[in-house]
Amino acid sequence: MTLTRDPVSPPVALAIAGSDAGGGAGIQADLKAMTAHGVFGTSVVTATTAQNTRGVRDVHAVPAGHVASQFDAVSDDFDVGAIKTGMLATAETVETVTGLVGDVAAPVVVDPVMVAASGDRLLSPEAEAAYEGLIGAATLVTPNADEAEVLVGGPIETPADAERAGRELVATGADAALVKGGHIGDGDTVTDTLVIGNTEGDATVVRFKNPRVATDATHGSGCALSSAIAARLARGEPLRESVAAAVDGMGPAIRRGYDVGEGPGAVNSTVFDERA
């Protein structure tokens, strides 16, 4: 018996980020989270990394011209409903991506991957400075506390500091900023701070409080969160609701994470399908 093809036509999202050979973060985590939200994920690879659960051994940046070629190939064929950016590796790539996303109408979620879990800076000062233009083109920027410190200066140690940083990022040009609270304090509660700007120059502040999961196996959490938000935006959901749902799903993603490899495990982006 010959079967009739019965295809589906999901929304499409695009991840612009580096590849994680260990599979826990980067493009690999992005596509898992997008799929879990019923969205077809496409990708532009900005760098390849030789890494595993114990650390990063080597990084090879993809030439900016090839980054642009990948983007053109995707945008020429797919109706991209939302874009997220992750690791961009070099100042030239940051500037190239800024120009590319500035020409599209789709919402853009910028995850500014700048600081490793060890606290080491991942980008040159020139690349960090280049982020100002990309943040200005962002629908949402999602730094953790360490990255927010790089972007706005000054310590981010409390939710009040996170709000200040979010307001500064909105003033820089982003429509909204989500300052993640996983690195703020060590209590039982994680507080993520969302600052949404408006045309009058004011801002709405929303705080999301969730129980902290007692683990250091959070590899890929920032990638999964930003990709989950982008996927929901691609589905046509409003920004605030997209952020709330994605943040709500991070607890289960961390608690039911992958225990693989010899180092700390990775988050389980696929559990988002229970909340999509």
Side-chain angles (χ1 to χ4, degrees), residues 35 48 59 111 124 128 132 153 171 182 185 193 211 228 233 246 264:
T35 300
T48 60
V59 177
D111 182 15
S124 68
E128 290 177 355
E132 182 174 351
T193 303
L233 292 172

Side-chain angles (χ1 to χ4, degrees), residues 17-275:
S19 170
D20 175 0
I27 286 290
Q28 288 80 355
D30 294 334
L31 297 181
K32 291 171 188 173
M34 290 175 178
T35 300
H37 282 80
V39 170
F40 185 83
T42 58
S43 62
V44 168
V45 178
T46 59
T48 60
T49 67
Q51 66 175 298
N52 54 32
T53 60
R54 291 175 292 179
V56 179
R57 299 182 179 182
D58 188 27
V59 177
H60 176 71
V62 172
H66 187 55
V67 170
S69 294
Q70 294 176 74
F71 183 93
D72 290 343
V74 172
S75 59
D76 184 54
D77 192 39
F78 296 90
D79 182 13
V80 176
I83 299 170
K84 70 93 33 153
T85 71
M87 177 185 181
L88 299 182
T90 68
E92 185 179 8
T93 296
V94 176
E95 292 166 354
T96 296
V97 170
T98 300
L100 293 170
V101 302
D103 291 334
V104 300
V108 178
V109 178
V110 174
D111 182 15
V113 180
M114 295 180 162
V115 183
S118 62
D120 295 329
R121 303 278 273 265
L122 298 175
L123 298 177
S124 68
E126 293 77 16
E128 290 177 355
Y131 257 94
E132 182 174 351
L134 183 57
I135 290 170
T139 304
L140 175 71
V141 57
T142 63
N144 61 32
D146 295 331
E147 291 156 349
E149 289 182 356
V150 173
L151 291 170
V152 305
I156 309 296
E157 299 174 347
T158 67
D161 293 335
E163 178 182 335
R164 172 185 59 81
R167 288 182 179 274
E168 290 191 33
L169 291 169
V170 168
T172 299
D175 293 345
L178 175 68
V179 182
K180 297 172 287 190
H183 295 179
I184 298 175
D186 55 4
D188 294 336
T189 301
V190 174
T191 302
D192 299 304
T193 303
L194 174 65
V195 179
I196 305 173
N198 60 40
T199 55
E200 286 73 35
D202 199 0
T204 298
V205 179
V206 184
R207 289 194 172 91
F208 305 100
K209 297 179 182 290
N210 287 286
R212 186 181 298 275
V213 180
T215 182
D216 59 354
T218 58
H219 184 55
S221 57
C223 305
L225 177 62
S226 57
S227 293
I229 295 169
R232 288 184 172 272
L233 292 172
R235 286 166 37 168
E237 297 181 17
L239 175 64
R240 179 168 173 170
E241 287 76 3
S242 295
V243 172
V247 168
D248 188 44
M250 283 311 302
I254 295 172
R255 186 170 60 84
R256 295 175 52 201
Y258 292 112
D259 184 12
V260 293
E262 296 181 7
V267 302
N268 185 350
S269 303
T270 65
V271 301
F272 280 118
D273 64 355
E274 298 173 0
R275 295 168 178 259

